[in-house]
mmCIF file of all heavy atoms in Angstrom:
data_model
loop_
_atom_site.group_PDB
_atom_site.id
_atom_site.type_symbol
_atom_site.label_atom_id
_atom_site.label_comp_id
_atom_site.label_asym_id
_atom_site.label_seq_id
_atom_site.Cartn_x
_atom_site.Cartn_y
_atom_site.Cartn_z
ATOM 1 N N TRP A 1406 -55.829 -34.323 -22.218
ATOM 2 C CA TRP A 1406 -55.905 -35.780 -22.080
ATOM 3 C C TRP A 1406 -55.600 -36.243 -20.649
ATOM 4 O O TRP A 1406 -55.387 -37.416 -20.409
ATOM 5 C CB TRP A 1406 -54.975 -36.498 -23.066
ATOM 6 C CG TRP A 1406 -55.507 -36.505 -24.472
ATOM 7 C CD1 TRP A 1406 -55.627 -35.411 -25.292
ATOM 8 C CD2 TRP A 1406 -56.002 -37.625 -25.201
ATOM 9 N NE1 TRP A 1406 -56.161 -35.791 -26.495
ATOM 10 C CE2 TRP A 1406 -56.393 -37.147 -26.480
ATOM 11 C CE3 TRP A 1406 -56.116 -38.978 -24.926
ATOM 12 C CZ2 TRP A 1406 -56.925 -37.982 -27.457
ATOM 13 C CZ3 TRP A 1406 -56.641 -39.809 -25.911
ATOM 14 C CH2 TRP A 1406 -57.039 -39.318 -27.150
ATOM 15 N N GLY A 1407 -55.555 -35.336 -19.719
ATOM 16 C CA GLY A 1407 -55.359 -35.679 -18.317
ATOM 17 C C GLY A 1407 -55.537 -34.417 -17.489
ATOM 18 O O GLY A 1407 -55.508 -33.308 -18.024
ATOM 19 N N VAL A 1408 -55.744 -34.588 -16.197
ATOM 20 C CA VAL A 1408 -55.897 -33.436 -15.299
ATOM 21 C C VAL A 1408 -54.826 -33.533 -14.220
ATOM 22 O O VAL A 1408 -54.704 -34.552 -13.537
ATOM 23 C CB VAL A 1408 -57.300 -33.389 -14.663
ATOM 24 C CG1 VAL A 1408 -57.405 -32.194 -13.725
ATOM 25 C CG2 VAL A 1408 -58.366 -33.296 -15.751
ATOM 26 N N ASP A 1409 -54.038 -32.479 -14.081
ATOM 27 C CA ASP A 1409 -52.952 -32.451 -13.106
ATOM 28 C C ASP A 1409 -53.519 -32.602 -11.695
ATOM 29 O O ASP A 1409 -54.247 -31.726 -11.219
ATOM 30 C CB ASP A 1409 -52.194 -31.124 -13.245
ATOM 31 C CG ASP A 1409 -51.037 -31.014 -12.260
ATOM 32 O OD1 ASP A 1409 -50.738 -32.007 -11.571
ATOM 33 O OD2 ASP A 1409 -50.423 -29.928 -12.193
ATOM 34 N N PRO A 1410 -53.223 -33.695 -11.003
ATOM 35 C CA PRO A 1410 -53.825 -33.917 -9.671
ATOM 36 C C PRO A 1410 -53.373 -32.896 -8.640
ATOM 37 O O PRO A 1410 -54.081 -32.659 -7.649
ATOM 38 C CB PRO A 1410 -53.352 -35.333 -9.304
ATOM 39 C CG PRO A 1410 -52.109 -35.547 -10.113
ATOM 40 C CD PRO A 1410 -52.322 -34.795 -11.386
ATOM 41 N N LEU A 1411 -52.210 -32.285 -8.838
ATOM 42 C CA LEU A 1411 -51.714 -31.286 -7.895
ATOM 43 C C LEU A 1411 -52.085 -29.857 -8.294
ATOM 44 O O LEU A 1411 -51.714 -28.905 -7.615
ATOM 45 C CB LEU A 1411 -50.185 -31.410 -7.779
ATOM 46 C CG LEU A 1411 -49.662 -32.764 -7.291
ATOM 47 C CD1 LEU A 1411 -48.135 -32.759 -7.218
ATOM 48 C CD2 LEU A 1411 -50.257 -33.118 -5.928
ATOM 49 N N HIS A 1412 -52.791 -29.716 -9.397
ATOM 50 C CA HIS A 1412 -53.231 -28.395 -9.882
ATOM 51 C C HIS A 1412 -52.060 -27.415 -10.057
ATOM 52 O O HIS A 1412 -52.190 -26.232 -9.779
ATOM 53 C CB HIS A 1412 -54.293 -27.803 -8.951
ATOM 54 C CG HIS A 1412 -55.648 -28.413 -9.174
ATOM 55 N ND1 HIS A 1412 -56.817 -27.815 -8.765
ATOM 56 C CD2 HIS A 1412 -56.035 -29.578 -9.772
ATOM 57 C CE1 HIS A 1412 -57.848 -28.573 -9.090
ATOM 58 N NE2 HIS A 1412 -57.379 -29.657 -9.708
ATOM 59 N N ARG A 1413 -50.937 -27.933 -10.552
ATOM 60 C CA ARG A 1413 -49.797 -27.061 -10.841
ATOM 61 C C ARG A 1413 -49.908 -26.443 -12.225
ATOM 62 O O ARG A 1413 -49.465 -25.326 -12.459
ATOM 63 C CB ARG A 1413 -48.492 -27.863 -10.760
ATOM 64 C CG ARG A 1413 -48.174 -28.447 -9.400
ATOM 65 C CD ARG A 1413 -47.162 -29.567 -9.540
ATOM 66 N NE ARG A 1413 -47.661 -30.636 -10.406
ATOM 67 C CZ ARG A 1413 -46.998 -31.732 -10.711
ATOM 68 N NH1 ARG A 1413 -45.777 -31.908 -10.230
ATOM 69 N NH2 ARG A 1413 -47.534 -32.669 -11.484
ATOM 70 N N HIS A 1414 -50.505 -27.186 -13.156
ATOM 71 C CA HIS A 1414 -50.547 -26.757 -14.551
ATOM 72 C C HIS A 1414 -51.982 -26.821 -15.062
ATOM 73 O O HIS A 1414 -52.672 -27.833 -14.855
ATOM 74 C CB HIS A 1414 -49.658 -27.659 -15.412
ATOM 75 C CG HIS A 1414 -48.258 -27.800 -14.899
ATOM 76 N ND1 HIS A 1414 -47.348 -26.765 -14.937
ATOM 77 C CD2 HIS A 1414 -47.609 -28.850 -14.327
ATOM 78 C CE1 HIS A 1414 -46.193 -27.169 -14.421
ATOM 79 N NE2 HIS A 1414 -46.340 -28.422 -14.036
ATOM 80 N N PRO A 1415 -52.467 -25.755 -15.723
ATOM 81 C CA PRO A 1415 -53.814 -25.777 -16.288
ATOM 82 C C PRO A 1415 -53.998 -27.020 -17.160
ATOM 83 O O PRO A 1415 -53.117 -27.360 -17.956
ATOM 84 C CB PRO A 1415 -53.871 -24.494 -17.123
ATOM 85 C CG PRO A 1415 -52.848 -23.595 -16.497
ATOM 86 C CD PRO A 1415 -51.747 -24.496 -16.034
ATOM 87 N N SER A 1416 -55.128 -27.698 -17.021
ATOM 88 C CA SER A 1416 -55.298 -28.960 -17.735
ATOM 89 C C SER A 1416 -56.769 -29.276 -17.957
ATOM 90 O O SER A 1416 -57.636 -28.897 -17.169
ATOM 91 C CB SER A 1416 -54.612 -30.101 -16.969
ATOM 92 O OG SER A 1416 -54.898 -30.058 -15.587
ATOM 93 N N ILE A 1417 -57.006 -30.016 -19.064
ATOM 94 C CA ILE A 1417 -58.355 -30.415 -19.450
ATOM 95 C C ILE A 1417 -58.278 -31.868 -19.894
ATOM 96 O O ILE A 1417 -57.488 -32.208 -20.778
ATOM 97 C CB ILE A 1417 -58.884 -29.557 -20.619
ATOM 98 C CG1 ILE A 1417 -58.966 -28.081 -20.209
ATOM 99 C CG2 ILE A 1417 -60.246 -30.060 -21.084
ATOM 100 C CD1 ILE A 1417 -59.267 -27.156 -21.365
ATOM 101 N N GLY A 1418 -59.076 -32.729 -19.280
ATOM 102 C CA GLY A 1418 -59.002 -34.124 -19.689
ATOM 103 C C GLY A 1418 -59.900 -35.014 -18.870
ATOM 104 O O GLY A 1418 -60.985 -34.611 -18.454
ATOM 105 N N PHE A 1419 -59.427 -36.214 -18.611
ATOM 106 C CA PHE A 1419 -60.208 -37.210 -17.886
ATOM 107 C C PHE A 1419 -59.246 -38.111 -17.129
ATOM 108 O O PHE A 1419 -58.029 -38.044 -17.313
ATOM 109 C CB PHE A 1419 -61.082 -38.024 -18.846
ATOM 110 C CG PHE A 1419 -60.304 -38.698 -19.941
ATOM 111 C CD1 PHE A 1419 -59.854 -40.000 -19.798
ATOM 112 C CD2 PHE A 1419 -60.021 -38.032 -21.124
ATOM 113 C CE1 PHE A 1419 -59.124 -40.628 -20.796
ATOM 114 C CE2 PHE A 1419 -59.301 -38.654 -22.142
ATOM 115 C CZ PHE A 1419 -58.849 -39.950 -21.973
ATOM 116 N N ASP A 1420 -59.814 -38.953 -16.286
ATOM 117 C CA ASP A 1420 -59.018 -39.854 -15.449
ATOM 118 C C ASP A 1420 -58.693 -41.111 -16.254
ATOM 119 O O ASP A 1420 -59.546 -41.994 -16.418
ATOM 120 C CB ASP A 1420 -59.812 -40.199 -14.184
ATOM 121 C CG ASP A 1420 -58.993 -40.998 -13.180
ATOM 122 O OD1 ASP A 1420 -57.983 -41.613 -13.581
ATOM 123 O OD2 ASP A 1420 -59.383 -41.026 -12.000
ATOM 124 N N ASN A 1421 -57.472 -41.194 -16.770
ATOM 125 C CA ASN A 1421 -57.076 -42.352 -17.582
ATOM 126 C C ASN A 1421 -57.082 -43.640 -16.761
ATOM 127 O O ASN A 1421 -57.386 -44.710 -17.282
ATOM 128 C CB ASN A 1421 -55.693 -42.106 -18.171
ATOM 129 C CG ASN A 1421 -55.719 -41.129 -19.325
ATOM 130 O OD1 ASN A 1421 -55.989 -41.503 -20.464
ATOM 131 N ND2 ASN A 1421 -55.458 -39.857 -19.035
ATOM 132 N N ARG A 1422 -56.746 -43.526 -15.486
ATOM 133 C CA ARG A 1422 -56.759 -44.703 -14.606
ATOM 134 C C ARG A 1422 -58.180 -45.242 -14.479
ATOM 135 O O ARG A 1422 -58.405 -46.460 -14.500
ATOM 136 C CB ARG A 1422 -56.192 -44.316 -13.242
ATOM 137 C CG ARG A 1422 -56.048 -45.445 -12.231
ATOM 138 C CD ARG A 1422 -55.434 -44.876 -10.953
ATOM 139 N NE ARG A 1422 -55.216 -45.879 -9.920
ATOM 140 C CZ ARG A 1422 -56.122 -46.270 -9.041
ATOM 141 N NH1 ARG A 1422 -57.347 -45.728 -9.077
ATOM 142 N NH2 ARG A 1422 -55.834 -47.173 -8.125
ATOM 143 N N ALA A 1423 -59.155 -44.334 -14.366
ATOM 144 C CA ALA A 1423 -60.551 -44.750 -14.210
ATOM 145 C C ALA A 1423 -61.071 -45.476 -15.438
ATOM 146 O O ALA A 1423 -61.945 -46.356 -15.327
ATOM 147 C CB ALA A 1423 -61.431 -43.538 -13.915
ATOM 148 N N ALA A 1424 -60.546 -45.135 -16.608
ATOM 149 C CA ALA A 1424 -61.030 -45.761 -17.841
ATOM 150 C C ALA A 1424 -60.786 -47.270 -17.823
ATOM 151 O O ALA A 1424 -61.711 -48.076 -18.016
ATOM 152 C CB ALA A 1424 -60.357 -45.117 -19.045
ATOM 153 N N THR A 1425 -59.557 -47.677 -17.576
ATOM 154 C CA THR A 1425 -59.259 -49.106 -17.566
ATOM 155 C C THR A 1425 -59.756 -49.779 -16.284
ATOM 156 O O THR A 1425 -60.035 -50.973 -16.277
ATOM 157 C CB THR A 1425 -57.757 -49.352 -17.730
ATOM 158 O OG1 THR A 1425 -57.032 -48.457 -16.872
ATOM 159 C CG2 THR A 1425 -57.332 -49.125 -19.171
ATOM 160 N N TYR A 1426 -59.883 -49.005 -15.215
ATOM 161 C CA TYR A 1426 -60.459 -49.552 -13.984
ATOM 162 C C TYR A 1426 -61.896 -50.007 -14.255
ATOM 163 O O TYR A 1426 -62.303 -51.100 -13.840
ATOM 164 C CB TYR A 1426 -60.424 -48.492 -12.881
ATOM 165 C CG TYR A 1426 -61.087 -48.913 -11.591
ATOM 166 C CD1 TYR A 1426 -60.395 -49.680 -10.650
ATOM 167 C CD2 TYR A 1426 -62.394 -48.550 -11.314
ATOM 168 C CE1 TYR A 1426 -61.007 -50.068 -9.463
ATOM 169 C CE2 TYR A 1426 -63.012 -48.923 -10.136
ATOM 170 C CZ TYR A 1426 -62.315 -49.686 -9.216
ATOM 171 O OH TYR A 1426 -62.933 -50.072 -8.050
ATOM 172 N N GLN A 1427 -62.668 -49.179 -14.972
ATOM 173 C CA GLN A 1427 -64.043 -49.552 -15.300
ATOM 174 C C GLN A 1427 -64.082 -50.804 -16.165
ATOM 175 O O GLN A 1427 -64.887 -51.713 -15.947
ATOM 176 C CB GLN A 1427 -64.746 -48.402 -16.024
ATOM 177 C CG GLN A 1427 -65.118 -47.236 -15.151
ATOM 178 C CD GLN A 1427 -65.995 -46.228 -15.880
ATOM 179 O OE1 GLN A 1427 -66.637 -46.556 -16.881
ATOM 180 N NE2 GLN A 1427 -66.028 -45.003 -15.385
ATOM 181 N N ALA A 1428 -63.202 -50.856 -17.164
ATOM 182 C CA ALA A 1428 -63.166 -52.019 -18.058
ATOM 183 C C ALA A 1428 -62.797 -53.284 -17.283
ATOM 184 O O ALA A 1428 -63.407 -54.349 -17.468
ATOM 185 C CB ALA A 1428 -62.175 -51.772 -19.189
ATOM 186 N N ALA A 1429 -61.811 -53.169 -16.405
ATOM 187 C CA ALA A 1429 -61.366 -54.326 -15.634
ATOM 188 C C ALA A 1429 -62.444 -54.794 -14.657
ATOM 189 O O ALA A 1429 -62.668 -56.007 -14.482
ATOM 190 C CB ALA A 1429 -60.080 -53.991 -14.888
ATOM 191 N N ARG A 1430 -63.120 -53.846 -14.022
ATOM 192 C CA ARG A 1430 -64.212 -54.215 -13.100
ATOM 193 C C ARG A 1430 -65.298 -54.979 -13.851
ATOM 194 O O ARG A 1430 -65.876 -55.936 -13.320
ATOM 195 C CB ARG A 1430 -64.790 -52.941 -12.472
ATOM 196 C CG ARG A 1430 -63.892 -52.277 -11.452
ATOM 197 C CD ARG A 1430 -64.028 -52.878 -10.089
ATOM 198 N NE ARG A 1430 -65.381 -52.687 -9.545
ATOM 199 C CZ ARG A 1430 -65.802 -53.197 -8.394
ATOM 200 N NH1 ARG A 1430 -64.979 -53.960 -7.683
ATOM 201 N NH2 ARG A 1430 -67.013 -52.977 -7.960
ATOM 202 N N HIS A 1431 -65.559 -54.558 -15.061
ATOM 203 C CA HIS A 1431 -66.557 -55.251 -15.887
ATOM 204 C C HIS A 1431 -66.119 -56.690 -16.149
ATOM 205 O O HIS A 1431 -66.909 -57.633 -15.995
ATOM 206 C CB HIS A 1431 -66.730 -54.482 -17.192
ATOM 207 C CG HIS A 1431 -67.496 -55.216 -18.252
ATOM 208 N ND1 HIS A 1431 -68.819 -55.564 -18.108
ATOM 209 C CD2 HIS A 1431 -67.112 -55.680 -19.480
ATOM 210 C CE1 HIS A 1431 -69.229 -56.205 -19.193
ATOM 211 N NE2 HIS A 1431 -68.210 -56.288 -20.043
ATOM 212 N N LEU A 1432 -64.868 -56.881 -16.520
ATOM 213 C CA LEU A 1432 -64.361 -58.231 -16.810
ATOM 214 C C LEU A 1432 -64.341 -59.100 -15.557
ATOM 215 O O LEU A 1432 -64.716 -60.279 -15.595
ATOM 216 C CB LEU A 1432 -62.962 -58.133 -17.403
ATOM 217 C CG LEU A 1432 -62.869 -57.510 -18.801
ATOM 218 C CD1 LEU A 1432 -61.416 -57.276 -19.184
ATOM 219 C CD2 LEU A 1432 -63.573 -58.385 -19.837
ATOM 220 N N ILE A 1433 -63.912 -58.527 -14.442
ATOM 221 C CA ILE A 1433 -63.886 -59.276 -13.186
ATOM 222 C C ILE A 1433 -65.300 -59.676 -12.779
ATOM 223 O O ILE A 1433 -65.548 -60.794 -12.310
ATOM 224 C CB ILE A 1433 -63.200 -58.436 -12.083
ATOM 225 C CG1 ILE A 1433 -61.705 -58.269 -12.416
ATOM 226 C CG2 ILE A 1433 -63.372 -59.088 -10.722
ATOM 227 C CD1 ILE A 1433 -61.007 -57.223 -11.563
ATOM 228 N N GLY A 1434 -66.252 -58.764 -13.002
ATOM 229 C CA GLY A 1434 -67.645 -59.072 -12.689
ATOM 230 C C GLY A 1434 -68.194 -60.216 -13.529
ATOM 231 O O GLY A 1434 -69.100 -60.943 -13.089
ATOM 232 N N LEU A 1435 -67.650 -60.396 -14.723
ATOM 233 C CA LEU A 1435 -68.062 -61.508 -15.586
ATOM 234 C C LEU A 1435 -67.427 -62.828 -15.154
ATOM 235 O O LEU A 1435 -67.823 -63.888 -15.640
ATOM 236 C CB LEU A 1435 -67.677 -61.211 -17.036
ATOM 237 C CG LEU A 1435 -68.453 -60.092 -17.736
ATOM 238 C CD1 LEU A 1435 -67.838 -59.790 -19.093
ATOM 239 C CD2 LEU A 1435 -69.935 -60.475 -17.894
ATOM 240 N N GLY A 1436 -66.419 -62.748 -14.260
ATOM 241 C CA GLY A 1436 -65.786 -63.957 -13.769
ATOM 242 C C GLY A 1436 -64.345 -64.154 -14.205
ATOM 243 O O GLY A 1436 -63.720 -65.165 -13.858
ATOM 244 N N HIS A 1437 -63.790 -63.208 -14.938
ATOM 245 C CA HIS A 1437 -62.401 -63.346 -15.387
ATOM 246 C C HIS A 1437 -61.445 -63.078 -14.226
ATOM 247 O O HIS A 1437 -61.653 -62.154 -13.429
ATOM 248 C CB HIS A 1437 -62.115 -62.376 -16.538
ATOM 249 C CG HIS A 1437 -62.875 -62.705 -17.782
ATOM 250 N ND1 HIS A 1437 -62.449 -63.655 -18.685
ATOM 251 C CD2 HIS A 1437 -64.058 -62.221 -18.258
ATOM 252 C CE1 HIS A 1437 -63.325 -63.736 -19.669
ATOM 253 N NE2 HIS A 1437 -64.318 -62.880 -19.436
#
């Protein structure tokens, strides 16, 4: 559910920050 940015620990996942960043950019683009 996340990827270690420093590559200290084996990991499989996605960028959780990017998920809400995309949603927020969409809302801001609508004028919110």
